[in-house]
C-alpha cells in the first residue's frame, strides 16, 4: 500500500483487518465467562490496604524485598512503583504489539493439561484436557487399533502454512507464530506415521522445515513455541527462527503431582524440566519468551516463586529472556477445569506489577489483551465487534501496572487458536486506550529491540541466516518498520497484488477473508503452488500499519498545520484513573532536549563569531564523539540515558573560561543524548519535534525555500575502493541471483567535461557538481585538469567539486605528496569554488569500518573539510543514514553534533583570522574565496534570500541523504536495512534544524532525489528551507535504483514550494540570489543532448 499523505492520515482511516468491524471470533463468539476470585475494580481505585513509600529504584528487587513490600503495600501503591520502574527503562512511552499470523502446526500433544482446549486427540478430534487423563503412550510399542486413516491431518501441510503466512504478510504482519502441541509422536503412532510420510523423523524437524519455507517465501520472522526441546533441537530451530518460547506457567510441583491439578501427569510441565530448556536457550543465545499463568490453582507465593525462578535463569543465561508473559487463566468448555473459577482483574494486575518489580525496567512485561478479565462480567461485547468499556478499563489497569507490550495480535487474519472464544481487540480501540495512558502503540518484531540494536547484538543473538530478514523488517530503533515507503521510489508499485491473488485465490468459510482452522484439512487445493522466493521477487513487504509518526495512533498533520495534540490530559477524552506521568515525563524530556540544544548552540555560536579561543576547550577533539554501548545494551532511550529530562539547561557552561576535557566531553555527550531524544520521538512527540523545528526554521531563515540550477558530472564510475553500499562504481555486473548491478565502466574525456559544463551554462545553470570514483590512474594533476576543463567550458560557472576523499587522494599523489591544505590551495587557484561534503556517510568509525572500510575515518573527514574552510573554500555537509546495524539514532545524533562542532570551530578560526570586532571583518570576508560565486549572483536589486543570513565560515548547508537500497550490493548481500522509514527521515531533518540551526548552520536541504517530490515537500514542514538543485544527469542515486534524479525543472521545484505555501527563490551555490537572466534561461532550456561517455 502506498503511504497515505499526512493530510489524509487520521485514526480509523486504514481499511484493514486490524481495524474495527467483525473480526475472527467477533461478537457472540466468546465462551463461558466466570466472575472469578478477587473481584474487580476500576483501573485505579484507591486500595484500602496500607500503602508504603512508592519511591523505588529501577533495579530489580530481591525476593526478601518483594515479600516485605507486598505484605504492607496496597495494590495502587504497588502499581505506582511498577509504573515508575517501567518509566525508567528503555522506550518509556512506547507500548508494543507484534502484528502476527498464528500457525497451529499441530494440535496433537503428548500432554493433557486440565485447562487446555487447544490440544486435541488426533483419533477423535476432542480436547485432551479432561479428568480422564490416562498414562502417556509409547508409540514404539503401541500397536493400537485406532483408525489411522482419519480424514483429518494431524499436521498442517506446507502449502497450508504458506497460505496463512502469505495472507499475514499481505495484511502487514511481521511475525509468524508457530504454536503446536508438544512432541505428539511420543504419544500417538498416527503422528509418527504422518511425519514419516512427510519425510521427517520428528515434529521439530518438520517445524524447522516450515519455518525455513515461511522465511524464504514470505520474509515473515518465525517465533516458535514447540514445547520441551533438547539442546540440539533448540539449536536447529535457532537457524530458522528469530526467537523461541516456552511458558514456565508455574514453579509449583504439586500442580503436576496432585490428582486433578492443572498439570497432573504432565511430566513436561515439571518446573525443573522447563527451566532446563531455558538454560539451554540461554547458552545458545536465543532471544526467549517465557511467563506464568495466573489462576490455575497456584498461590500468590508460588507465583512469585515462578517469577524468581525465571529471573535467576535470566541472569545466569546472559539476560536472554526478552519478555515475561503474564497470562490470565480463562475457563474453557469441555476441559477438566471448565468450572474452575477465573482470576479477577485485581489478581492479574497485582501479578503484572510484581513481575515488573522483579525483573526491573529493561525486560518487557506482557499481558494478552484478549484474555484480560473484565471488571463487570455481565457486560459482554458491544455487538459491533469491539470490546466492552469494562474490558478497556482492564487494559488501562495493566498499563498502570507496568505492562509494556500487548503481545502478538492478529485480528481478522487468524484466531487465537489457544483461546478462540476470546477475540482479538481491534487495534483502533487498543491504540485509543494506549494513547490515553500516555503511550504510543508501536509495532514490534518477534524479537525485542535490545537484541537487534547494533552489530554486536546481531552477532550475539541472531543467526546469520535470519539476520537479513530482520534487517528488512526493522527500523533504526529495532521496532517493526510496518510501512512500505522506502527512499528512492515507491515499492508498492512493483508487482502489485497479483502475486497474492494468484497464490491465495479465494477463502471460503469466513466472512472476513481470514483462514480459519478448526481442523487443518480442506484449506488448500492440489493445484496451489508455493509462491516464488520472496528474496528473488523482491516485492513490497506489506500494508502500512503505522502513520508517519511511527505509531498506530492518529497523525495530527505537519503538512496541514493542524494543531498539535499535546493537551494537559491525553487525547481521546479523559481516561478514568489513568496516570499521565509517562506522557508528562516524555514531553518534559523532549522540551528539555530542544531547549538544551538551542541554548548550547546559541552560546557556542556567540563564542565562535567573536573568535573566542575558549571555544576550543569547550569542544573536545573528534576522536571521541559518543559513549557506545549503553543505548544498544538496554534496547532504547531511557530516562537515565537522557539527562536532559532533569538537567537545568541554564546550567550549561556559559562562562568564558575553559573547562576540563572530561567535562567538555560530558557536555557533548549530553548534546548527543538530547539529539537522540528528538530522533526517538513517536506519536504526539513526533508531531511536536517537527512543529518546533518548523518554527525555528521560520525564525532563522524565514519562509523562502531556495534551489539552484545545476548539473552533476560524474566523470568516472571506476573506483578502487570497496564501499559495500555503492551501486555506482564499476565492479561485478550481476549478483548471485542474476540481477544486474551496474552498467559498464566509463571515463569522461576532458573535452566531454568542458562540453557538459558549457551545455549546463547554456541551460541556465550556475553550478556544476563534479565527483567520481577513485580511479586507479588518477593523481593530483587529474583533479586540477578537471577543474581547468570545467572553466574552459564556462569561465563564470561555479565549480562545486571533489569529495574530501578525492581531495586527500589528490594531495597524496600530487608530485610525491603534499599536505591537504596545500593541495586545497592549488585547487582554489585552479577555480574550485566549493567542496561537496560527501563521503561523510555516518561519522562513526564503527559504522564506517563496515560500510566503507577504506574511506576516510571520522577524524580524517573532519580534518579535510576543516582545512578547506581554513583556506577559504566553503563546503557542504551530509549524512547518509538508514543502512548497516550500527547506524542507530545514537550514531546519527553524534554525527549531527560533530557537524555542529566542526562548523563552530571553523567559524571561530575564520573570525579570528578576519579580526572580528576590529571593523575589518567584511573586507576580509570578501578575500576568502566567496567572490568566486559572483558569476551567478545578482547584486543589483534582489532582496536577501534569508533573513539575517550571512556566510561566516564553516559549512553552507547540511544535506541528509536517506540510503537507497534497491540496487545496493550491501542490501543484496543482506547486510543493510531498506533505508530509513519516512518517520526517521522527517526526524533527521527536524533534528538537524534543532541541532545545527542555533549554531549558525541554517540551511537544511531536502533531497527530492532521495525522497521524491511529495515527501520533499513534506520535509519543508519539518525544518527544511532548501530543495537542492535541478540536477541534470544525476547518476549515483539512480544507479542505486531510485526513480527520481533525472532533472527537475524550475517550474516543478517552484510548484513543490508553492504547494507548501512557501516562497520559492533560485539561489547560487553560496546562497546568494541568482541572476534573473539565469532563471529565464533555465525555464526555457533546450533538452539535454544524448550522453555518450568515453570508455
Amino acid at each position: 500500500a502506498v503511504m497515505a499523505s499526512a493530510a489524509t492520515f487520521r485514526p480509523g482511516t486504514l481499511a484493514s483487518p486490524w481495524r474495527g468491524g467483525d473480526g475472527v471470533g467477533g461478537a457472540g463468539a466468546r465462551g463461558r465467562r466466570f466472575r472469578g476470585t478477587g473481584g474487580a475494580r476500576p483501573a485505579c481505585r484507591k486500595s484500602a490496604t496500607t500503602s508504603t513509600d512508592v519511591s523505588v529504584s529501577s533495579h530489580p528487587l530481591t525476593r526478601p524485598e518483594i515479600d516485605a513490600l507486598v505484605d504492607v503495600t496496597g495494590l495502587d501503591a504497588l502499581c505506582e512503583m511498577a509504573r515508575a520502574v517501567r518509566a525508567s527503562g528503555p522506550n518509556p512511552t512506547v507500548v508494543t504489539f507484534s502484528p502476527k499470523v498464528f500457525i497451529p502446526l499441530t494440535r496433537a500433544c503428548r500432554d493433557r493439561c486440565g485447562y487446555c482446549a487447544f490440544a486435541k486427540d488426533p483419533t477423535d478430534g476432542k480436547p485432551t484436557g479432561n479428568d480422564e487423563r490416562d498414562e502417556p503412550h509409547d508409540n514404539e510399542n503401541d500397536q493400537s487399533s485406532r483408525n489411522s486413516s482419519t480424514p483429518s491431518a494431524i499436521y498442517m501441510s506446507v502449502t497450508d502454512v504458506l497460505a496463512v503466512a502469505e495472507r499475514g504478510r499481505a495484511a502487514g504482519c511481521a511475525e509468524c507464530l508457530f504454536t503446536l502441541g508438544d512432541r505428539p509422536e511420543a504419544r500417538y503412532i498416527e503422528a509418527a506415521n504422518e511425519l514419516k510420510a512427510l519425510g521427517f523423523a520428528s515434529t521439530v524437524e518438520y517445524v524447522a522445515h516450515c519455518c525455513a519455507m515461511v522465511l524464504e517465501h514470505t520474509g515473515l520472522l518465525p517465533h516458535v513455541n514447540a514445547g520441551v526441546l533438547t539442546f540440539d533441537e533448540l539449536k536447529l530451530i535457532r537457524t530458522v527462527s528469530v526467537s523461541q518460547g516456552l511458558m514456565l506457567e508455574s514453579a509449583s510441583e504439586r500442580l503436576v503431582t496432585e490428582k486433578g491439578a492443572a498439570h497432573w501427569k504432565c511430566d513436561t510441565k515439571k518446573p525443573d524440566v522447563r527451566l532446563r530448556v531455558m538454560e539451554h536457550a540461554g547458552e545458545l543465545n536465543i532471544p526467549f519468551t517465557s511467563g506464568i499463568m495466573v489462576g490455575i490453582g497456584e498461590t500468590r507465593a508460588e507465583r512469585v516463586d515462578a517469577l524468581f525462578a525465571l529471573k535467576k535463569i535470566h541472569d545466569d543465561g546472559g539476560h536472554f529472556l526478552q519478555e515475561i508473559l503474564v497470562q490470565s487463566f480463562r475457563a474453557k468448555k469441555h476441559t477438566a477445569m471448565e468450572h474452575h473459577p477465573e482470576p479477577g482483574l485485581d489478581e492479574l494486575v497485582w501479578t503484572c506489577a510484581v513481575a515488573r518489580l522483579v525483573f526491573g525496567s529493561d525486560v518487557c512485561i506482557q499481558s494478552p489483551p484478549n484474555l484480560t478479565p473484565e471488571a463487570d462480567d455481565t457486560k459482554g461485547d458491544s455487538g459491533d465487534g469491539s470490546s466492552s468499556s469494562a474490558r478497556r478499563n482492564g487494559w488501562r489497569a495493566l498499563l498502570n501496572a507496568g505492562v509494556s507490550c500487548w503481545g502478538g495480535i492478529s485480528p481478522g487474519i487468524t484466531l487465537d487458536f489457544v483461546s478462540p472464544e476470546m477475540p482479538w481487540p481491534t487495534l483502533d480501540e487498543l491504540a485509543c486506550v494506549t494513547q490515553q495512558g500516555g503511550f504510543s502503540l508501536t509495532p514490534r518484531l518477534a524479537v525485542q529491540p535490545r537484541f537487534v540494536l547494533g552489530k554486536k547484538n546481531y552477532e550475539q543473538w541472531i543467526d546469520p541466516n535470519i539476520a537479513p530478514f530482520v534487517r528488512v523488517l526493522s527500523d533504526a530503533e529495532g521496532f517493526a518498520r510496518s510501512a512500505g515507503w522506502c527512499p528512492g521510489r515507491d515499492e508498492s508499485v512493483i508487482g502489485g497484488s497479483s502475486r497474492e491473488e494468484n497464490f491465495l485465490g479465494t477463502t471460503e468459510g469466513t466472512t472476513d477473508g481470514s483462514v480459519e482452522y478448526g481442523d487443518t484439512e480442506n484449506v488448500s487445493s492440489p493445484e496451489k503452488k508455493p509462491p516464488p522466493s520472496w528474496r528473488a521477487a523482491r516485492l513490497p513487504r506489506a500494508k502500512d500499519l503505522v502513520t508517519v509518526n511511527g505509531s498506530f495512533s492518529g497523525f495530527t498533520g505537519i503538512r496541514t498545520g493542524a494543531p498539535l495534540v499535546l493537551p494537559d490530559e491525553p487525547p481521546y477524552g479523559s481516561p478514568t484513573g489513568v496516570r499521565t506521568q509517562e506522557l508528562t515525563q516524555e514531553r518534559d524530556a523532549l522540551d528539555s532536549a530542544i531547549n538544551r540544544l538551542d541554548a548550547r548552540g546559541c552560546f557556542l555560536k556567540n563564542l565562535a563569531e567573536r573568535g573566542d579561543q575558549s571555544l576550543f576547550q569547550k569542544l573536545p577533539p573528534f576522536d571521541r564523539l559518543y559513549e557506545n554501548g549503553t543505548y544498544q545494551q538496554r534496547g532504547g532511550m531511557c530516562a537515565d540515558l537522557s539527562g536532559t529530562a532533569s538537567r537545568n539547561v541554564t546550567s550549561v557552561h556559559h562562562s568564558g573560561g575553559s573547562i576540563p576535557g572530561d567535562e567538555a566531553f560530558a557536555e557533548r555527550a549530553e548534546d548527543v543524548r538530547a539529539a537522540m531524544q528528538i530522533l526517538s520521538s513517536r506519536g504526539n512527540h513526533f508531531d511536536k519535534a517537527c512543529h518546533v523545528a518548523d518554527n525555528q526554521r521560520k525564525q532563522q531563515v524565514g519562509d523562502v525555500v531556495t534551489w539552484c540550477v545545476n548539473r552533476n558530472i560524474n566523470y568516472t564510475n571506476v573506483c578502487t575502493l570497496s564501499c559495500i553500499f555503492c551501486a555506482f562504481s564499476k565492479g561485478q555486473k550481476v549478483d548471485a541471483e542474476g540481477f544486474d548491478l551496474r552498467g559498464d565502466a566509463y571515463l569522461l574525456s576532458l573535452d566531454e567535461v568542458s562540453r557538459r559544463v558549457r551545455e549546463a551554462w547554456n541551460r541556465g545553470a550556475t553550478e556544476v557538481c563534479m565527483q567520481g570514483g577513485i580511479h586507479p590512474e588518477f593523481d593530483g594533476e587529474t583533479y586540477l585538469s578537471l577543474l581547468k576543463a570545467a572553466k574552459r567550458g564556462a569561465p563564470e560557472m561555479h565549480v562545486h567539486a571533489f569529495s574530501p576523499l578525492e581531495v586527500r587522494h589528490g594531495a597524496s599523489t600530487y608530485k610525491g605528496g603534499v599536505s591537504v591544505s596545500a593541495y586545497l590551495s592549488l585547487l582554489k587557484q585552479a577555480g574550485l569554488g566549493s567542496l561537496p561534503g560527501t563521503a561523510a556517510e555516518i561519522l562513526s568509525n564503527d559504522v564506517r569500518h563496515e560500510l566503507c572500510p577504506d574511506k576516510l575515518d571520522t577524524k580524517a573527514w573532519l580534518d579535510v573539510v576543516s582545512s578547506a574552510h581554513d583556506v577559504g573554500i566553503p563546503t557542504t555537509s551530509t549524512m547518509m543514514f538508514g543502512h548497516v546495524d550500527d547506524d542507530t539514532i545514537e550514531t546519527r545524533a553524534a554525527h549531527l553534533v560533530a557537524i555542529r562542532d566542526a562548523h563552530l570551530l571553523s567559524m571561530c578560526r575564520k573570525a579570528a583570522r578576519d579580526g572580528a570586532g576590529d571593523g575589518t571583518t567584511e573586507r576580509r570576508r570578501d578575500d576568502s574565496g566567496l567572490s568566486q560565486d559572483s558569476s551567478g549572483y545578482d547584486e543589483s536589486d534582489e532582496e536577501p534570500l534569508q533573513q539575517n543570513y550571512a556566510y561566516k565560515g564553516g559549512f553552507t548547508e547540511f544535506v541528509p541523504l536517506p540510503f537507497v537500497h534497491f540496487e545496493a550490493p550491501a542490501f543484496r548481500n543482506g547486510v543493510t536495512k531498506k533505508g530509513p522509514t519516512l518517520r526517521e527521515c522527517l526526524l533527521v531533518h527536524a533534528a538537524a534544524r534543532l541541532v545545527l540551526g542555533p549554531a549558525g548552520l541554517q540551511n537544511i536541504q531536502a533531497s527530492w532525489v532521495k525522497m521524491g517530490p511529495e515527501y520533499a515537500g513534506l520535509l519543508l514542514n519539518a525544518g527544511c528551507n532548501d530543495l537542492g538543485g535541478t540536477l541534470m544527469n544525476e547518476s549515483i542515486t539512480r544507479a542505486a535504483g531510485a526513480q527520481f534524479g533525472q532533472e527537475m525543472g524550475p517550474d516543478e521545484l517552484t510548484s513543490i514550494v508553492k504547494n507548501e505555501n512557501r516562497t520559492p527563490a533560485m539561489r547560487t551555490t553560496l546562497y546568494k540570489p541568482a541572476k534573473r537572466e539565469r532563471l529565464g534561461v533555465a525555464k526555457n532550456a533546450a533538452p539535454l543532448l544524448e550522453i555518450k561517455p568515453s570508455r
Side-chain angles (χ1 to χ4, degrees):
V2 180
M3 170 68 79
S5 71
T8 59
F9 241 133
R10 293 293 186 274
T13 60
L14 286 177
S16 89
W18 301 97
R19 296 195 175 271
D22 292 332
V24 175
R30 306 186 96 120
R32 179 182 295 185
R33 288 295 183 87
F34 299 88
R35 186 171 300 279
T37 59
R41 63 178 182 89
C44 276
R45 174 185 57 77
K46 286 294 183 182
S47 172
T49 312
T50 304
S51 180
T52 187
D53 183 5
V54 297
S55 60
V56 61
S57 65
S58 61
H59 71 79
L61 300 183
T62 64
R63 180 60 187 267
E65 289 173 330
I66 287 288
D67 288 341
L69 187 67
V70 299
D71 283 345
V72 298
T73 305
L75 183 56
D76 290 312
L78 200 67
C79 287
E80 191 169 352
M81 294 178 189
R83 190 173 59 249
V85 171
R86 188 260 192 269
S88 68
N91 308 304
T93 62
V94 167
V95 171
T96 59
F97 73 98
S98 178
K100 75 176 181 184
V101 62
F102 194 131
I103 304 289
L105 192 64
T106 179
R107 302 184 72 160
C109 182
R110 60 175 164 175
D111 290 325
R112 295 192 169 193
C113 300
Y115 50 78
C116 182
F118 174 79
K120 293 184 178 181
D121 190 319
T123 64
D124 57 21
K126 294 181 180 179
T128 60
N130 58 67
D131 270 335
E132 304 301 322
R133 286 172 270 176
D134 52 12
E135 295 295 330
H137 288 259
D138 181 352
N139 68 32
E140 292 183 358
N141 300 315
D142 181 11
Q143 302 296 326
S144 71
S145 60
R146 290 193 185 107
N147 179 12
S148 60
S149 60
T150 174
S152 295
I154 299 173
Y155 295 90
M156 290 177 66
S157 70
V158 172
T159 304
D160 292 345
V161 168
L162 290 178
V164 179
E166 177 65 10
R167 190 170 296 281
R169 184 205 65 79
C173 294
E175 173 185 350
C176 185
L177 169 64
F178 283 87
T179 291
L180 53 147
D182 193 319
R183 210 178 298 272
E185 67 270 27
R187 184 180 189 96
Y188 302 107
I189 190 65
E190 295 86 355
N193 289 339
E194 189 168 315
L195 284 170
K196 184 176 180 181
L198 290 168
F200 299 93
S202 68
T203 298
V204 175
E205 285 187 11
Y206 187 52
V207 172
H209 174 71
C210 290
C211 287
M213 294 294 285
V214 166
L215 278 168
E216 179 68 19
H217 293 288
T218 72
L220 298 189
L221 302 177
H223 171 85
V224 180
N225 296 331
V228 174
L229 304 184
T230 66
F231 183 92
D232 288 339
E233 289 171 335
L234 288 166
K235 188 175 181 179
L236 171 65
I237 297 298
R238 187 184 191 273
T239 64
V240 290
S241 68
V242 74
S243 56
Q244 299 181 50
L246 180 68
M247 291 285 284
L248 176 59
E249 298 191 11
S250 175
S252 174
E253 288 280 353
R254 67 180 181 81
L255 295 184
V256 180
T257 59
E258 289 183 3
K259 184 175 181 178
H263 297 148
W264 181 45
K265 292 187 177 180
C266 299
D267 288 344
T268 66
K269 293 300 178 83
K270 290 180 177 179
D272 59 338
V273 172
R274 299 177 90 76
L275 289 169
R276 179 64 177 165
V277 174
M278 293 180 224
E279 182 181 332
H280 289 326
E283 293 170 4
L284 289 167
N285 289 330
I286 297 172
F288 210 80
T289 296
S290 189
I292 63 172
M293 296 281 291
V294 177
I296 58 172
E298 82 292 344
T299 66
R300 276 188 171 183
E302 288 171 333
R303 232 175 284 153
V304 177
D305 289 341
L307 289 171
F308 274 100
L310 290 171
K311 181 64 168 61
K312 182 179 187 306
I313 207 153
H314 174 64
D315 292 340
D316 294 345
H319 299 92
F320 70 105
L321 290 179
Q322 61 171 351
E323 53 204 13
I324 297 299
L325 175 60
V326 181
Q327 181 171 322
S328 182
F329 163 75
R330 306 309 298 258
K332 295 175 173 59
K333 292 180 178 180
H334 311 303
T335 65
M337 297 178 68
E338 179 178 359
H339 301 293
H340 186 82
E342 295 179 339
L345 179 60
D346 277 3
E347 204 64 26
L348 179 62
V349 169
W350 181 91
T351 307
C352 288
V354 171
R356 173 58 69 195
L357 297 175
V358 169
F359 279 89
S361 60
D362 290 10
V363 175
C364 176
I365 303 299
Q366 177 189 129
S367 190
N370 62 317
L371 302 182
T372 304
E374 294 183 359
D376 183 355
D377 288 326
T378 64
K379 297 182 182 179
D381 287 334
S382 61
D384 61 356
S386 63
S387 299
S388 68
S389 59
R391 200 166 171 212
R392 283 176 242 146
N393 283 337
W395 300 340
R396 294 185 182 101
L398 292 173
L399 292 175
N400 200 46
V403 166
S404 54
C405 181
W406 296 122
I409 297 179
S410 185
I413 304 167
T414 51
L415 294 167
D416 178 352
F417 288 100
V418 174
S419 299
E421 76 283 6
M422 304 292 177
W424 306 109
T426 65
L427 290 186
D428 272 335
E429 189 172 26
L430 199 60
C432 176
V433 171
T434 302
Q435 193 169 3
Q436 286 175 354
F439 304 99
S440 295
L441 184 63
T442 301
R444 64 165 175 84
L445 305 177
V447 62
Q448 292 288 340
R450 69 182 175 90
F451 297 94
V452 293
L453 269 184
K455 185 177 181 180
K456 290 181 180 178
N457 281 328
Y458 264 98
E459 291 175 344
Q460 178 178 358
W461 297 106
I462 307 299
D463 188 271
N465 294 324
I466 306 298
F469 298 94
V470 180
R471 294 183 181 109
V472 162
L473 290 171
S474 66
D475 68 9
E477 295 176 83
F479 295 107
R481 293 178 70 95
S482 292
W485 181 86
C486 297
R489 71 177 187 236
D490 185 357
E491 265 196 317
S492 64
V493 303
I494 308 168
S497 60
S498 59
R499 173 172 174 247
E500 299 162 18
E501 294 168 356
N502 291 340
F503 172 59
L504 290 171
T506 60
T507 302
E508 298 179 356
T510 57
T511 59
D512 61 351
S514 64
V515 178
E516 184 172 342
Y517 287 97
D519 297 307
T520 58
E521 76 275 18
N522 301 323
V523 176
S524 61
S525 55
E527 66 272 12
K528 286 186 178 179
K529 297 179 181 180
S533 168
W534 162 77
R535 287 188 294 178
R538 303 191 185 280
L539 290 179
R541 290 297 313 126
K543 290 183 179 179
D544 297 334
L545 288 187
V546 296
T547 60
V548 69
N549 66 18
S551 70
F552 193 83
S553 59
F555 173 50
T556 57
I558 63 171
R559 180 185 292 283
T560 60
L564 294 168
V565 184
L566 290 169
D568 293 333
E569 292 294 330
Y572 298 106
S574 176
T576 304
V578 176
R579 296 289 298 266
T580 60
Q581 172 184 352
E582 288 81 6
L583 179 66
T584 302
Q585 283 182 344
E586 179 73 0
R587 196 186 318 157
D588 288 347
L590 181 60
D591 287 341
S592 294
I594 293 171
N595 291 341
R596 175 188 173 83
L597 291 168
D598 188 59
R600 278 273 287 173
C602 290
F603 164 65
L604 295 172
K605 183 183 74 169
N606 288 336
L607 294 180
E609 290 177 338
R610 298 198 308 265
D612 191 325
Q613 297 302 294
S614 69
L615 181 69
F616 292 88
Q617 283 73 49
K618 288 179 169 56
L619 299 178
F622 291 116
D623 52 359
R624 186 183 175 200
L625 296 181
Y626 63 99
E627 292 287 5
N628 190 12
T630 304
Y631 168 73
Q632 293 184 11
Q633 289 169 5
R634 298 193 67 183
M637 279 294 294
C638 304
D640 53 355
L641 280 182
S642 180
T644 55
S646 58
R647 187 184 181 96
N648 181 358
V649 296
T650 61
S651 67
V652 177
H653 292 278
H654 286 190
S655 63
S658 64
I659 55 178
D662 286 345
E663 194 169 352
F665 175 76
E667 293 292 346
R668 175 183 282 165
E670 280 297 307
D671 293 341
V672 171
R673 286 190 284 270
M676 290 172 67
Q677 188 74 47
I678 297 167
L679 293 172
S680 66
S681 301
R682 290 178 187 267
N684 292 330
H685 311 298
F686 165 92
D687 292 345
K688 181 169 188 177
C690 294
H691 179 72
V692 175
D694 195 46
N695 281 344
Q696 285 203 14
R697 180 270 309 161
K698 188 170 185 177
Q699 294 168 6
Q700 292 166 9
V701 297
D703 285 332
V704 172
V705 176
T706 52
W707 48 272
C708 68
V709 177
N710 63 351
R711 182 173 199 168
N712 276 18
I713 300 177
N714 303 120
Y715 32 78
T716 184
N717 65 351
V718 179
C719 188
T720 61
L721 303 188
S722 56
C723 303
I724 66 172
F725 64 88
C726 185
F728 172 73
S729 65
K730 178 187 176 295
Q732 183 181 353
K733 293 190 64 176
V734 296
D735 66 8
E737 294 178 336
F739 288 99
D740 291 333
L741 289 179
R742 51 184 64 87
D744 294 328
Y746 71 83
L747 173 64
L748 298 184
S749 68
L750 294 178
D751 287 343
E752 176 64 14
V753 170
S754 295
R755 186 198 70 78
R756 293 191 186 191
V757 173
R758 183 167 54 254
E759 182 182 33
W761 181 261
N762 292 337
R763 300 181 80 248
T766 61
E767 170 197 305
V768 289
C769 178
M770 304 200 311
Q771 296 182 91
I774 304 299
H775 195 289
E777 297 177 3
F778 278 17
D779 59 19
E781 290 285 1
T782 307
Y783 299 108
L784 292 169
S785 298
L786 286 165
L787 280 173
K788 293 173 183 176
K791 285 298 184 180
R792 283 197 305 271
E796 294 183 272
M797 184 74 79
H798 181 101
V799 182
H800 180 66
F802 312 138
S803 70
L805 177 64
E806 291 176 283
V807 169
R808 191 186 67 168
H809 175 67
S812 65
T813 57
Y814 181 74
K815 295 184 177 180
V818 297
S819 70
V820 168
S821 294
Y823 188 65
L824 283 164
S825 296
L826 291 173
L827 293 174
K828 180 181 175 183
Q829 293 169 15
L832 181 64
S834 58
L835 200 72
T838 52
E841 323 314 354
I842 293 286
L843 295 176
S844 160
N845 287 337
D846 293 328
V847 172
R848 301 178 77 80
H849 178 73
E850 181 174 8
L851 193 67
C852 46
D854 38 14
K855 271 189 177 178
L856 305 177
D857 65 17
T858 295
K859 185 176 183 301
W861 187 92
L862 290 166
D863 285 345
V864 172
V865 295
S866 297
S867 296
H869 300 160
D870 290 346
V871 300
I873 300 176
T875 77
T876 63
S877 56
T878 63
M879 179 175 76
M880 187 181 73
F881 62 103
H883 33 74
V884 296
D885 301 334
D886 280 330
D887 169 25
T888 65
I889 64 168
E890 183 174 36
T891 55
R892 295 174 192 178
H895 182 110
L896 290 173
V897 173
I899 292 293
R900 181 201 69 181
D901 290 357
H903 177 73
L904 289 164
L905 292 171
S906 290
M907 284 177 60
C908 187
R909 290 191 296 269
K910 185 176 188 305
R913 290 193 305 273
D914 289 346
D918 65 0
T920 63
T921 303
E922 293 302 319
R923 175 181 56 80
R924 297 189 182 183
R925 183 176 298 132
D926 291 339
D927 296 334
S928 67
L930 303 190
S931 59
Q932 296 182 54
D933 194 48
S934 61
S935 58
Y937 171 41
D938 193 342
E939 295 178 308
S940 56
D941 56 356
E942 293 283 358
E943 293 296 324
L945 294 179
Q946 303 168 9
Q947 57 191 38
N948 304 321
Y949 177 74
Y951 179 74
K952 299 179 181 179
F955 302 111
T956 58
E957 65 189 16
F958 178 72
V959 189
L961 300 172
F963 172 62
V964 176
H965 74 281
F966 298 98
E967 305 298 333
F971 176 72
R972 293 187 177 280
N973 291 328
V975 297
T976 69
K977 299 180 179 66
K978 297 172 62 175
T981 65
L982 181 58
R983 165 186 163 271
E984 291 170 32
C985 291
L986 285 159
L987 285 175
V988 163
H989 289 79
R993 172 62 61 191
L994 297 169
V995 174
L996 304 176
L1001 180 44
Q1002 297 179 346
N1003 298 311
I1004 309 299
Q1005 185 179 119
S1007 171
W1008 61 265
V1009 177
K1010 310 285 187 180
M1011 298 293 297
E1014 178 183 1
Y1015 293 114
L1018 186 60
L1019 289 172
L1020 298 181
N1021 296 281
C1024 292
N1025 67 297
D1026 187 76
L1027 285 175
T1030 57
L1031 290 179
M1032 310 173 205
N1033 305 132
E1034 197 286 327
S1035 302
I1036 295 174
T1037 302
R1038 287 187 297 120
Q1043 72 182 74
F1044 314 110
Q1046 185 53 44
E1047 190 170 20
M1048 183 176 289
D1051 290 339
E1052 295 168 285
L1053 288 170
T1054 296
S1055 177
I1056 293 173
V1057 176
K1058 289 184 176 179
N1059 285 343
E1060 306 303 328
N1061 297 315
R1062 303 275 284 281
T1063 303
M1066 180 177 167
R1067 62 165 175 84
T1068 67
T1069 305
L1070 302 181
Y1071 286 84
K1072 295 178 181 180
K1075 293 179 179 179
R1076 289 192 179 95
E1077 173 269 336
R1078 293 282 82 198
L1079 178 58
V1081 172
K1083 285 188 173 185
N1084 296 284
L1088 285 167
L1089 296 178
E1090 182 181 356
I1091 294 176
K1092 295 180 180 180
S1094 304
R1095 301 296 179 188

